[in-house]
Amino acid sequence: MRTLRLTTSKKDIEHAADIIRSGGLVAFPTETVYGLGANALDEGAVRSIYEAKGRPSDNPMIVHIARFEDLDELVAGGSIRISPYAKLAAKKLWPGPLTMVFDKNPAVPSVTTGGLDTVAIRMPLSEAARSLIEQAGLPVAAPSANISGRPSPTTAEDVLEDMDGRIDAVIMGDQCDVGIESTVVDMTGDTPVILRPGIITKEWLEAAIGCEVEYDKSLLKKPEFIAEPALGAQADEDFKPRSPGMKYTHYSPKAKVRIIEGDGKFFGDKVMQLGIEAMREGKKPAILEYGGDAKKAAHKLFADLRELDRQGYDIIFVRGLDEKGEGFSVMNRMLKSAGYDIIK
């Protein structure tokens, strides 16, 4: 398969929309990361996403829409049935990096939702993304446009590194502004529950909708209790992830990632010691330090991990962040990229 390189021009967006309507796959930029899009209501097209990514079939997709009214064909009972706080979140935070989980309309194929009775939906802020959805005239299922388990792509070049020859087209937009995936919030219960943290923090969401928001307990568990075979824990075969990123190891470069927690002096001393040990073993070490700036880390982390892979580094030492606000969201990605290998 030849993967087309398309621009963000009106003509090319229309071409990309034609591909989506015909059951094809198109990678496109959003404000968070690049998504790999297909018709969310076409079982065959969605299965093609799983195949292209090598993605486990019980890992649900996020469905992207262009208008609030698009919820009507996706949510059980239509948009009038969603909770007042979900409507308020949509009013204040859509379009934007927020995904909300609702009870699904039976018209949404089970393959799109990973076999769940709920559907995750977001309205992206990116003009190119919304234009593509509008031109396609249908909801677009779109996980990140990378091989499953790799760092999410924040540039078109990142997408092509993983997907060239696997998909029909890539819309070659700019680097993504946010750099980590959207916040995912379960809106099906009495209290909103964050399933995946993102740049829209718990505090930001609470201020927007005027009610308490909880974290899913899995986000607060220690590694030994996580149902993650790659971490050496016993797999929980009955666990069904309610959001992308809850069950499987993600964001991992080819290089080994190790997180060092502590102040600048401790980090510097440890990097010196461990870096020398690595070089004695014939390994090429690299350092990532964001100066405690969580927003900068969010924007650069995935791009930096990919770039260090391209440069042939074997081990990457990353200074951890304070797990508050945006730092909690970025550390969620750092910890998974490192397989919870933490040095304190």
Side-chain angles (χ1 to χ4, degrees):
M1 178 188 294
R2 178 173 176 265
T3 298
L4 298 175
R5 277 71 163 163
L6 302 176
T7 70
T8 56
S9 69
K10 184 176 183 228
K11 180 181 177 182
D12 277 4
I13 293 288
E14 289 174 350
H15 188 180
D18 286 340
I19 293 171
I20 295 283
R21 280 194 298 271
S22 66
L25 304 183
V26 177
F28 60 94
T30 78
E31 72 277 14
T32 55
V33 299
Y34 272 70
L36 180 57
N39 181 350
L41 304 180
D42 181 336
E43 289 189 28
V46 174
R47 290 188 194 282
S48 295
I49 295 179
Y50 284 108
E51 291 169 6
K53 285 177 59 70
R55 181 184 177 93
S57 61
D58 68 343
N59 205 4
M61 303 279 179
I62 290 175
V63 178
H64 293 64
I65 61 174
R67 305 173 308 146
F68 181 81
E69 293 74 20
D70 295 339
L71 289 173
D72 287 336
E73 67 176 326
L74 302 171
V75 176
S79 58
I80 62 170
R81 293 289 301 276
I82 70 175
S83 67
Y85 48 74
K87 289 178 181 175
L88 194 55
K91 180 180 179 180
K92 293 192 174 184
L93 300 172
W94 273 3
L98 176 70
T99 296
M100 291 190 277
V101 175
F102 304 105
D103 292 321
K104 84 175 183 75
N105 186 310
V108 181
S110 178
V111 66
T112 302
T113 63
L116 300 176
D117 292 328
T118 54
V119 58
I121 304 171
R122 99 171 177 101
M123 186 191 301
L125 180 62
S126 162
E127 184 177 340
R130 284 207 320 282
S131 178
L132 173 63
I133 299 162
E134 287 170 356
Q135 289 295 325
L138 45 81
V140 174
S144 55
N146 57 294
I147 297 295
S148 189
R150 294 270 291 146
S152 297
T154 56
T155 67
E157 291 72 23
D158 292 343
V159 175
L160 290 167
E161 187 173 64
D162 283 6
M163 291 291 159
D164 198 5
R166 290 172 172 258
I167 62 177
D168 295 285
V170 178
I171 297 175
M172 308 286 287
D174 295 330
Q175 182 171 4
C176 302
D177 291 331
V178 174
I180 59 173
E181 304 85 354
S182 62
T183 303
V184 178
V185 186
D186 185 349
M187 292 291 192
T188 61
D190 294 332
T191 302
V193 178
I194 293 176
L195 305 180
R196 182 179 72 188
I199 208 72
I200 292 180
T201 63
K202 177 178 182 289
E203 295 77 15
W204 186 354
L205 185 58
E206 287 176 334
I209 65 178
C211 75
E212 181 184 2
V213 176
E214 298 177 354
Y215 284 120
D216 186 272
K217 292 182 174 59
S218 69
L219 295 175
L220 307 175
K221 288 181 179 179
K222 295 181 180 179
E224 59 265 30
F225 298 118
I226 291 175
E228 191 64 88
L231 303 179
Q234 184 174 353
D236 181 353
E237 298 299 337
D238 296 325
F239 177 63
K240 293 285 288 181
R242 292 186 288 155
S243 163
M246 291 187 75
K247 183 175 182 181
Y248 298 95
T249 301
H250 279 266
Y251 324 122
S252 299
K254 297 172 186 174
K256 179 175 176 56
V257 177
R258 304 195 72 186
I259 295 172
I260 299 176
E261 293 187 346
D263 60 23
K265 183 178 185 306
F266 179 81
F267 178 75
D269 290 346
K270 273 293 176 184
V271 162
M272 179 73 72
Q273 173 197 336
L274 296 172
I276 290 172
E277 290 176 5
M279 287 187 285
R280 284 175 178 164
E281 295 172 1
K283 297 175 182 176
K284 185 179 177 183
I287 299 169
L288 288 180
E289 219 279 63
Y290 297 107
D293 187 334
K295 191 163 288 188
K296 178 182 178 182
H299 179 67
K300 289 177 58 63
L301 176 64
F302 291 151
D304 286 344
L305 292 177
R306 282 183 172 270
E307 181 56 32
L308 292 173
D309 262 355
R310 293 183 191 112
Q311 294 180 23
Y313 287 93
D314 302 298
I315 186 167
I316 303 169
F317 297 106
V318 186
R319 184 179 175 188
L321 299 169
D322 186 354
E323 293 190 60
K324 293 180 181 177
E326 294 162 348
F328 180 79
S329 303
V330 181
M331 281 298 290
N332 172 266
R333 274 68 171 183
M334 283 188 181
L335 288 165
K336 289 191 174 186
S337 72
Y340 293 85
D341 184 354
I342 308 168
I343 300 164
K344 297 182 180 182

